[in-house]
Amino acid sequence: IRDVEAIRDQIGGLRAVAPINQSSQTVISGGQSRQSSIIGSGADYLVAQDWTLADGRGFLASEERGGQAVCLVGETVRLRLFGSTPAVGQTIRVGNVACEVIGVLAKKGQSGMGNDQDDVVMMPLKVFQRRIGGSTDVSSIMLSAENGVSTAKVQADVERLLRERRKIVAGRDDDFTVNDMTQMAATLTGTT
């Protein structure tokens, strides 16, 4: 998490910095259950993913800081667990964690790799770390550059900062990877 804070403080041109942890868990409501992707992050994740809410609200800063058990559900989870009943205000169980649904994510559909992006439950990172992940680790950090800012420059700045913070000397391999999704998207478009 100290790397996340350093990136926020020292890298210019960023619109969002979202630490992420992820897992697959059984999600239960009433008599319905399903295995879904669980994301521990914060409000910046929605900004970085250009994801809006179809219903309800996002996380409050106090919920993120305090690690309150609230969550946002994707459209697939909403439909499978609640059908035509409104999801906001309901309680679901994510693994062993009772979680109040405060919002429903707008439908995204399948990713370029064929994954159902709407089969997701998102909760504040601290709740995920304490109650699902069992550690304070961050598995990845998603960044979003401001419009007009070179993603190649942001990538180089982040690589330089992380090498410095982790005391990686010249000639040694990085113990992290920074991927530029615009380059990956161009490669995928060229391939398909």
Side-chain angles (χ1 to χ4, degrees):
I1 202 73
R2 287 187 302 273
D3 288 339
V4 173
E5 292 161 1
I7 290 169
R8 277 191 183 126
D9 293 343
Q10 298 178 40
I11 304 294
L14 293 177
R15 204 175 78 173
V17 179
I20 302 167
N21 271 349
Q22 231 171 324
S23 175
S24 180
Q25 297 283 326
T26 301
V27 181
I28 301 169
S29 176
Q32 303 298 319
S33 70
R34 67 176 294 100
Q35 194 75 13
S36 295
S37 178
I38 312 303
I39 297 172
S41 192
D44 269 7
Y45 182 82
L46 299 179
V47 174
Q49 289 283 50
D50 288 325
W51 214 336
T52 59
L53 293 171
D55 192 18
R57 63 171 179 84
F59 303 135
L60 301 174
S62 60
E63 292 167 336
E64 289 187 47
R65 279 191 314 271
Q68 285 184 266
V70 293
C71 58
L72 309 174
V73 296
E75 179 59 21
T76 300
V77 174
R78 184 206 63 76
L79 186 62
R80 299 284 163 73
L81 294 184
F82 301 107
S84 61
T85 304
V88 175
Q90 302 287 338
T91 298
I92 62 175
R93 200 171 83 223
V94 179
N96 293 321
V97 180
C99 183
E100 180 189 354
V101 177
I102 60 168
V104 177
L105 298 164
K107 186 174 172 85
K108 275 216 170 202
Q110 288 190 336
S111 70
M113 301 297 184
N115 301 6
D116 180 359
Q117 297 178 88
D118 301 315
D119 193 3
V120 65
V121 175
M122 186 180 161
M123 58 180 46
L125 179 63
K126 284 188 178 182
V127 173
F128 184 99
Q129 288 172 323
R130 286 184 201 148
R131 314 241 341 248
I132 292 178
S135 78
T136 58
D137 292 341
V138 171
S139 61
S140 60
I141 305 167
M142 184 171 292
L143 310 175
S144 177
E146 295 280 359
N147 288 335
V149 173
S150 163
T151 56
K153 179 182 180 333
V154 169
Q155 181 177 1
D157 290 348
V158 169
E159 288 171 346
R160 188 171 37 258
L161 176 64
L162 291 178
R163 286 184 65 83
E164 177 185 302
R165 289 185 51 74
R166 294 163 180 242
K167 298 177 180 26
I168 300 172
V169 296
R172 295 282 185 168
D173 290 337
D174 293 339
D175 61 355
F176 61 89
T177 305
V178 180
N179 297 312
D180 184 341
M181 298 310 287
T182 57
Q183 293 170 351
M184 293 176 80
T187 301
L188 183 60
T189 300
T191 303
T192 56

